[in-house]
Amino acid sequence: MFKSTIWVCGLAMALVACTPDKAGRILAPQEYGLTCVSASICLEDVAQKQKAERLYADAARTVQGQFVPFKNRPRVLFCSTKSCSAQFGDDHSQALTLGTYGILIREDGWHGYTLRHEMIHHIQNEQFGVRQASYQLPKWYIEGMGYALSGDPRDPLPTAELQEYRKRYKAWEAAGNQWNKPPK
């Protein structure tokens, strides 16, 4: 009985270990129905290529002009349907950034401000390291910077918490602080 339990647990752990994670999906988007039209842009619907290229070019130019050049240009996956987005997790956000692996733009996130927001997170991950940006720096600073500096026109933002993050970041910046010197 004990040996069979260990065997079943071992098999279950092996199956979980072999399941592709979100980062793996960004690294191999063709396996999930996307077509890469360049090293930086992969699309579910290639008919949207020009729109995606324009969004990417505008966002990259703006963000790099505001901050620093990318160390590595982020790969952006553009989903056009809910089923495409669902492959990357059941998240209710318009987009997500996975470390320095890349960015997912969901079907409802095809906005310049959304891509700029995610590219800001990409810069944060490159400049501060993924661990620090994700777990050590205050969330108001990380998300507040994204909302404050992306030109997101929504007012209010989708939640009161996000609205507060943006307000707090703006106040922090107005006090003379610089984005590249995060709060302690």
Side-chain angles (χ1 to χ4, degrees):
M1 174 75 170
F2 181 71
K3 284 185 178 181
S4 64
T5 302
I6 290 175
W7 186 84
V8 169
C9 288
L11 179 62
M13 287 172 50
L15 288 172
V16 169
C18 293
T19 302
D21 62 0
K22 292 177 189 176
R25 293 175 189 200
I26 283 188
L27 294 173
Q30 300 88 336
E31 300 296 319
Y32 300 92
L34 283 87
T35 301
C36 294
V37 295
S38 72
S40 301
I41 298 174
C42 300
L43 302 153
E44 177 186 21
D45 178 5
V46 292
Q48 298 292 321
K49 178 183 174 195
Q50 287 184 326
K51 181 178 182 181
E53 288 174 334
R54 189 173 51 253
L55 280 171
Y56 191 104
D58 290 347
R61 184 176 43 258
T62 301
V63 169
Q64 290 179 97
Q66 223 174 348
F67 297 95
V68 295
F70 298 128
K71 292 176 183 174
N72 295 297
R73 291 177 59 83
R75 172 180 268 184
V76 179
L77 280 53
F78 289 92
C79 282
S80 299
T81 64
K82 285 186 184 291
S83 62
C84 174
S85 294
Q87 296 180 100
F88 298 92
D90 196 18
D91 191 325
H92 299 292
S93 64
Q94 292 182 341
L96 66 98
T97 298
L98 294 169
T100 56
Y101 293 109
I103 296 168
L104 170 70
I105 299 296
R106 296 182 187 279
E107 75 283 349
D108 58 348
W110 288 58
H111 311 287
Y113 64 85
T114 303
L115 187 50
R116 287 188 301 270
H117 179 114
E118 298 308 321
M119 285 184 173
I120 289 168
H121 288 323
H122 181 83
I123 294 256
Q124 291 167 334
N125 289 329
E126 286 187 335
Q127 295 297 307
F128 308 130
V130 175
R131 176 171 286 174
Q132 185 177 7
S134 299
Y135 304 109
Q136 296 170 343
L137 292 174
K139 192 162 183 173
W140 68 262
Y141 169 77
I142 295 297
E143 287 300 328
M145 182 191 303
Y147 285 106
L149 301 181
S150 66
D152 192 324
R154 298 175 294 172
D155 193 18
L157 290 170
T159 69
E161 181 179 45
L162 296 176
Q163 188 73 16
E164 182 58 33
Y165 291 160
R166 178 166 64 186
K167 179 180 172 187
R168 187 168 177 187
Y169 180 84
K170 284 181 173 184
W172 178 82
E173 188 178 53
N177 295 294
Q178 297 176 348
W179 77 269
N180 59 345
K181 295 179 182 159
K184 304 269 181 210

